[in-house]
Amino acid sequence: MELINQHTKRIMEGCKERARSAGLSFTDESLEYLVTNRDLLELSPKVMIPTLYDYWVHDVEVLREKGKYELYPHNPYETVINTRPPISFYNDNNPDWLNVMIFYHVLAHIDFFQNNLYFRHTWDYDFTGQALSDKRVIAKLRAEKGRWVDYVIEFARGIDNLVDFHGGLTELFMPRGAGCSSRLNYYFDVFLQSVKKVPVSDYLKEVSRYNDCLKHDAQLGEKSFFVEAERRYPELEAHFSRWERQDKPVVRRDLLRYLLDHSSFLARDENVWMRSILEIVRKTSVFFQPQIRTKIMNEGWASYWHEQLFLKDDRIRGHEVDFARVHAGVTSMPRVGINPYALGMRLFCQIEEQADKGRFSFDFQRLADADRRRHFDAGTASGGDYIFSVRENLCDYLFLKNYLDQDFLDRYKLFVAGKRLDQQRMVWQYYVKSRRADDYRAMLLDSLYHPPVITVDQEKGVEGSLYLVHAFEGKQLVHEYIANTLMGIEYLWGGPVHLETSDARLAATPSGPGSPEGVSGRVVAWQRVLYSMNEKVLSRKNL
Amino acid sequence: MRNKLLTYLEELKAAGMSPQREAELRAELETADDPHAPPASVAEGAGTEGSGLPNFKGGDLTFLQQIPPPYVNAAVLAKSLDELLERDRQREKDGFPRKIQVGKLVKPGKGNAGKVVVVPTTVEEKLIHDSTIRPTGEGGGEGSGTGGSGEGEEGEVIGEQPVRGEADQPGGAGPGEGEGENHELESTAYDLGKTLSEKFQLPNLKDKGKKRSFTRYSYDLTDKNRGFGQVLDKKATLRTIVETNIALGNLPDLSDIDPTRFLIAPHDKIYRVLSPEKDYEPQAMLFFLRDYSGSMEGKATELVVSQHVLIYSWLLYQYAGQAETRFILHDTEAREVPDFYTYYNSRVAGGTQVSSAFKLVNDIVEKENLARDYNIYVFHGTDGDDWDDGGMKAVAEISHMLGYASRVGITVAAHAGQDGVMTTVARFMNTSGLLKSKPGLIRMDIIQEDADEARLIEGIKKLIS
């Protein structure tokens, strides 16, 4: 790996100036490296972070990718990494004009990393530096503890999708306990809801009474609010003090953190070293969470900007056709399939256009007349600002959910493509399954990253066991993975582990032998089950 | 097709058959017209979270810069693979299940059939959603589909793709991945494959028309050189000395030779020098035969195919380029298929006549005159069911085959609840006495439906050793 030469760096700096004046914002410094295939090979399993800790699964991946390469060429590499300064990787034989285009693409990525609020927790430190120190910690531990280090890494990575990424973000924007006193929280969150079980209307009345009190007197508002509340519920104070004294059940969505805080096994002196590994794995996972959740937006944003900026760049005159070819390749909508670059870019364009015409407004929303809708233009011309705020505040889920509408589908002639077998002619038929925005959106949302919500139920975790509850969202967990994952959790917890989840029972209609998978008539019945892992033995029972 | 079979069935019935047997055969007959085409690839990336969107496997580097995937030397690969497997063995000792699978042995390629890529795979198991199972009404069965763009009414077919020729399907996973996944082999298979490779080779390998050669050389003192060299070839030297002395007239009486009077020129000394020799090796032709009749539904096919994958992989591994393979599928009729992919993925349907496959092999061997140049091996996999109860035809074909074949291996994967020994094929093979009279040439392995990989490997040992 080496840095790009001064000539190319000068091009990059020129791109930065132009990108800044277009409104993108990013830090001054950036590092650009030329990479060889060999570098890529070592980098790709480490998510392109050169300093990520060593782990044997990465080696396996390298080997597997190699073997697979012959069969199905693909390379899951990202070019830009979200570090301080941001690092990006390049092929060494790009012509200057192509570099200009790629630099704009990269700068837009950097802008996204540094301004999208889902990345807020990555802004205050340099991940490569952190990763390097973590790597050294792990290397040192490995020298002392040998292969057990790898087992702990493995078990921790087994649950590294169960980190409360959103919870962590919330705390950044609103520190715990900020704004409200614990008495107030108790009153509204517990007392009214669980103890008194007041109807919703009364609850809302209390909320607005509180707001009134606060409006009346910001200093003493809360006090006067509680004077009234205590008059109504004389037992409130007693309940509150009792509640404050007792151990509160912690409902945790962050299993890794929970283990760090509550595992008696990890608390033992001889096992304390494992905690640093868990911390490292958790930190790494949390770092990458926003990246997985903003793929369409991030690529769309970068494609949008490389197009905008490239065409305005005076340095590349004469390469418009070259650009058009590459750009079309990057951002074409495939006949069948999804291209996140293309989808995201078009959606940003559409949002900008709609916002320019002031269509994200109540006036437009309530218009029913199709013709007037088509010609609606409030002339607000606020599209530029609007897409910047979208870039700042949303992730893929909200991006698609809010803005992917029927107009968008019609405009770009998008549809959900289905695939079915034509038995007579022995061909797969691709067909237009649906042109409804709802279906298209559902299809996309379904493909987004969404780890299961698994919480710890402390009350059910009796006699030193850990009781996990999987919130059912219409899908079961992958069965084959349950045993080993639970075994890992059992190891880290140091006691039996239970997992409550839902399993599907398929009642397939009998189909003749030799007929293609008899899937058409199957019915799914859901059954709540409990998996238990004790002494490395998995058992399952219906609940 | 069906009518023909029906007539055949009537004939069999006329010859006498139990009602139960007739019912069995009729059930198979029902499937006679079903296609044998390979199944579709299973929905890709089932449950692999983080794999991202369908068709989005590349990143900026591919999209923007068209960087080709990197390449690594296979030798480096093999070494580290061993290290990884060593680690995995240690894992087992430490009380955790093994995690590394050595798999993807077969590239189900089209045309240029088969390629072995020994790759380790491992899964980072996590609690993730299984997207393959969804309630009805949410597009169950078909999957949720993917995106698309362009013209077309709802319901309109916009494109077709032959089930067989989908080698370069967009989206990465492609054919074979889905089905192949089930056949990933335990790391023990790799270990064993290595051991097998070291200890065993194809049985009865004879020198026949050594046409093929590896690009392999062995160095041997084979070249001769006059005057100087590494090792003196005494016999050759003596011969030239005698010749020279005769020419000089120094050897008047041939009946009384006195070596002490020989005149020896330096040029007469013949030495052997080291030279590279191309290694020619005997060549082998392997026939893989598989029953794909309706009764093979389910586990039986899986077992047979798995075992053939193992044999095939091992052969390719060991006899790369030297062993040629042919693939034959049969129900009541046999047909040759061009590559392992089709062989491996074709669906089951139709009735059964084992003899048809053996007959086809005999025909091919005769027509192409293979017996002269090749060592011929035949591996046949079946569930043991055959409409031809007595197996007269099959036994006749097999006996003929044993005249030229170096080894015939028959795998009977008996269905659950069935006694493998009592299956039709096993029965007629046993009664034929071939197994006993020519144990060097023909072997039979009967496995139960619940057999695991280890059992299959045992089976291979039995068939091959």
Side-chain angles (χ1 to χ4, degrees), chain A residues 98-113:
Chain A
L98 183 61
N99 272 333
V100 171
M101 168 180 162
I102 296 169
F103 286 154
Y104 283 135
H105 191 92
V106 163
L107 288 174
H109 273 317
I110 297 175
D111 167 80
F112 195 91
F113 287 144

Side-chain angles (χ1 to χ4, degrees), chain A residues 459-477:
Chain A
E459 288 182 357
K460 287 187 179 168
V462 285
E463 292 165 18
S465 70
L466 180 68
Y467 196 96
L468 303 171
V469 181
H470 169 219
F472 179 59
E473 293 175 277
K475 285 178 184 170
Q476 67 176 12
L477 298 173

Side-chain angles (χ1 to χ4, degrees), chain A residues 351-407:
Chain A
I351 293 169
E352 184 182 20
E353 210 176 289
Q354 301 281 59
D356 269 341
K357 294 178 178 169
R359 289 185 178 184
F360 296 114
S361 63
F362 184 57
D363 287 342
F364 179 73
Q365 298 294 329
R366 71 173 180 184
L367 266 188
D369 184 304
D371 193 51
R372 286 176 62 194
R373 273 180 86 89
R374 204 171 304 127
H375 295 108
F376 184 94
D377 188 352
T380 43
S382 58
D385 294 342
Y386 200 89
I387 55 169
F388 273 98
S389 87
V390 167
R391 170 274 257 144
E392 184 170 317
N393 292 302
L394 303 188
C395 63
D396 278 347
Y397 177 79
L398 291 171
F399 185 60
L400 297 172
K401 192 162 173 56
N402 290 354
Y403 297 111
L404 200 143
D405 55 12
Q406 195 65 50
D407 291 342

